[in-house]
Amino acid sequence: RDFCLSRGLGDVYKRQMYKYIDKFFSVSETGSTIRTEIIAGATTFLAMSYIVVVNPAILSQAGMDFGAVFVATCLAAAVGCILMGVIANYPIGLAPGMGQNAFFTYGIVLGSGHSWQAALGAVFISGLLFILISVLPIRSWIINAIPKNLKIGISAGIGLFIAFIALKNAGIVVANPATLVAFGDLTQFSSVMALIGLFLIAALVSSGFKGAIIVGMISVSIAGWLVGDAEFKGILASPPSVESVFLQMDIAAAFELSMLSVILTLLLVDVFDTAGTLVGVTNRAKLLDENGKLPRIGKALLADSGATAAGAMFGTSSTTCFIESASGVESGGRTGLTAVTVALLFLLCLILSPLAQSVPAYATAGALLFVSAAMAQGLVDLDWSEPMEYTPAVLTAISMPLSFSIANGIGIGFISYAVIKAIRMRPRECPIAVYIVATVFALKFIFLGS
């Protein structure tokens, strides 16, 4: 570079770099351009950037330091996006996933009483198992063996679970001894602002605005700062220390028998979420082959699983592909350069920690409510003509918020699917993988309880 610039050959150097990047990511072959890929990456980042605030807000309730988790979130997202872009060459952004972080805090730590260090250990082990699945031929068997309707029920159920948490955090839903739950005081500032945030985000998304969620959160936060209900701590600063959560996984505790269903749940959710997002986004990008299959699926799964293991070491819950990547695809993203652009922007976020810590809980509640609504819309794709299919799916979805456990919801779903098929005398319609998972959860409910 210096040689070229010293001789006035900057343009030559630039063209060589463009040529190398174009060749490495096969940009021209997909009909895209480097400029288009960078714009698509920025679009995807804006659509999923809310996670740098929401993820530490959720995990901090498990006793983890907000600032440290903020850094871990940015680093895990950056590593995941780089792996996806360089290894698999897909325009898909990754970050600690919604649902997985809720299960981490409310299911593993607060719900079951495990330490957050043990929960990180479980995430790390599930990541290693996912890596093993990604490099072995069984990956297609596992992904294709789980019935589509159960996958839909799991995704929608996680959305409903997130909605319940958001309503609770905003004070919109409170405990009631007579009816279990009831509306809280809807005139309190936190409840009003959470709903305003939700309405604003929904309206912006409807208008096609790419950064709707982050704009909604910031707008509500500004209102809180102006009335003195929340403290504004600044915008830029050196990144907080990640030391308190870095490499804090308790692997030994994660190997306890009571953690078996936890690890299984983490693995299943990550596999299903990744597979569904990969197929959905790449289909919209017209990257599937003539048979409707995803080329380089092993590399894509390896990138995701590697990001989960790395994220656990950094100190955060499972990292996964984000459906918000579809916004970048709509902007023209077709290659891994889009994902690498997202990674660089997440690294840039590291200096924004004061701003992230200034966002009040009711601002993230509105964002969570919108994300939950987006996840629940998948129920429309259920096979509503067949009770054997939609019953387990709906049971899965409603069991998650009502039992306050993603794991229990998944368990009930698999068990009900297997039992209904057996009663109907159609056991062969139920994949072996479903029977295996159903048996594991049944034994867990019997011997370890819910």
Side-chain angles (χ1 to χ4, degrees):
R1 175 180 179 274
D2 292 338
F3 175 82
C4 290
L5 293 177
S6 65
R7 288 160 176 77
L9 299 178
D11 290 339
V12 175
Y13 168 74
K14 186 183 295 185
R15 285 196 296 271
Q16 288 298 322
M17 284 299 297
Y18 272 49
K19 184 177 180 180
Y20 174 78
I21 293 173
D22 184 279
K23 181 178 179 181
F24 184 86
F25 292 104
S26 302
V27 176
S28 296
E29 291 182 22
T30 62
S32 183
T33 66
I34 291 178
R35 181 177 182 274
T36 298
E37 296 294 309
I38 293 175
I39 292 175
T43 302
T44 294
F45 172 76
L46 284 175
M48 60 186 291
S49 58
Y50 66 88
I51 198 65
V52 302
V53 176
V54 175
N55 192 57
I58 292 177
L59 266 59
S60 63
Q61 296 180 53
M64 304 174 74
D65 178 70
F66 184 101
V69 177
F70 169 82
V71 174
T73 301
C74 294
L75 293 177
V79 169
C81 291
I82 290 174
L83 290 176
M84 182 62 71
V86 173
I87 296 177
N89 197 24
Y90 282 129
I92 296 176
L94 292 87
M98 295 301 301
Q100 288 94 324
N101 50 17
F103 177 55
F104 184 101
T105 294
Y106 303 105
I108 306 174
V109 180
L110 300 181
S112 300
H114 297 290
S115 68
W116 60 262
Q117 291 89 344
L120 283 179
V123 172
F124 182 70
I125 293 172
S126 72
L128 294 182
L129 292 174
F130 196 2
I131 291 175
L132 184 63
I133 290 173
S134 301
V135 298
L136 293 177
I138 63 172
R139 61 176 179 264
S140 298
W141 175 75
I142 291 178
I143 291 175
N144 296 328
I146 308 304
K148 173 187 174 182
N149 292 289
L150 267 186
K151 294 177 184 176
I152 292 173
I154 290 171
S155 178
I158 292 174
L160 296 177
F161 183 58
I162 292 174
F164 188 73
I165 291 171
L167 292 170
K168 174 179 174 292
N169 290 346
I172 298 173
V173 168
V174 297
N176 185 291
T179 60
L180 296 182
V181 293
F183 269 150
D185 181 5
L186 298 184
T187 63
Q188 65 179 334
F189 187 78
S190 61
S191 298
V192 172
M193 295 312 298
L195 292 175
I196 289 177
L198 169 63
F199 302 154
L200 177 60
I201 292 170
L204 289 173
V205 171
S206 178
S207 67
F209 191 81
K210 302 300 182 183
I213 295 179
I214 196 70
V215 168
M217 287 197 298
I218 293 298
S219 299
V220 171
S221 298
I222 291 174
W225 301 335
L226 291 176
V227 302
D229 191 77
E231 179 186 359
F232 176 67
K233 300 179 180 180
I235 299 177
L236 301 176
S238 299
S241 172
V242 74
E243 183 179 358
S244 64
V245 299
F246 182 66
L247 293 179
Q248 294 299 309
M249 309 96 69
D250 189 342
I251 304 297
F255 275 110
E256 294 178 1
L257 183 61
S258 60
M259 294 293 280
L260 176 61
S261 63
V262 168
I263 294 173
L264 180 62
T265 298
L266 287 168
L267 178 62
L268 288 175
V269 171
D270 205 1
V271 170
F272 298 160
D273 194 29
T274 297
T277 301
L278 281 171
V279 173
V281 174
T282 54
N283 181 51
R284 293 178 69 170
K286 294 180 172 55
L287 296 175
L288 301 181
D289 63 20
E290 61 276 7
N291 297 317
K293 295 184 179 180
L294 180 65
R296 308 186 303 280
I297 185 172
K299 292 182 178 179
L301 293 177
L302 184 60
D304 189 290
S305 56
T308 291
M313 291 189 287
F314 288 134
T316 185
S317 51
S318 302
T319 302
T320 189
C321 300
F322 264 54
I323 194 62
E324 285 84 353
S325 302
S327 62
V329 165
E330 293 297 330
S331 297
R334 294 295 182 272
T335 75
L337 182 55
T338 294
V340 172
T341 301
V342 177
L344 296 177
L345 291 173
F346 269 115
L347 291 177
L348 185 61
C349 260
L350 286 171
I351 61 175
L352 299 176
S353 59
L355 181 61
Q357 296 184 62
S358 301
V359 177
Y362 48 79
T364 61
L368 288 174
L369 284 171
F370 179 79
V371 171
S372 68
M375 295 178 70
Q377 67 179 329
L379 287 172
V380 72
D381 295 322
L382 281 179
D383 181 3
W384 292 103
S385 66
E386 178 51 72
M388 289 192 297
E389 296 293 331
Y390 67 71
T391 300
V394 173
L395 188 60
T396 298
I398 64 175
S399 293
M400 289 185 188
L402 296 182
S403 67
F404 212 72
S405 170
I406 293 175
N408 288 344
I410 291 177
I412 290 298
F414 275 87
I415 292 172
S416 61
Y417 193 92
V419 172
I420 292 174
K421 290 291 185 179
I423 293 176
R424 186 66 175 80
M425 303 297 287
R426 295 183 181 179
R428 292 185 178 180
E429 292 183 5
C430 185
I432 295 177
V434 175
Y435 285 116
I436 294 174
V437 175
T439 300
V440 170
F441 275 107
L443 293 174
K444 185 259 185 184
F445 289 144
I446 294 171
F447 295 106
L448 300 177
S450 58

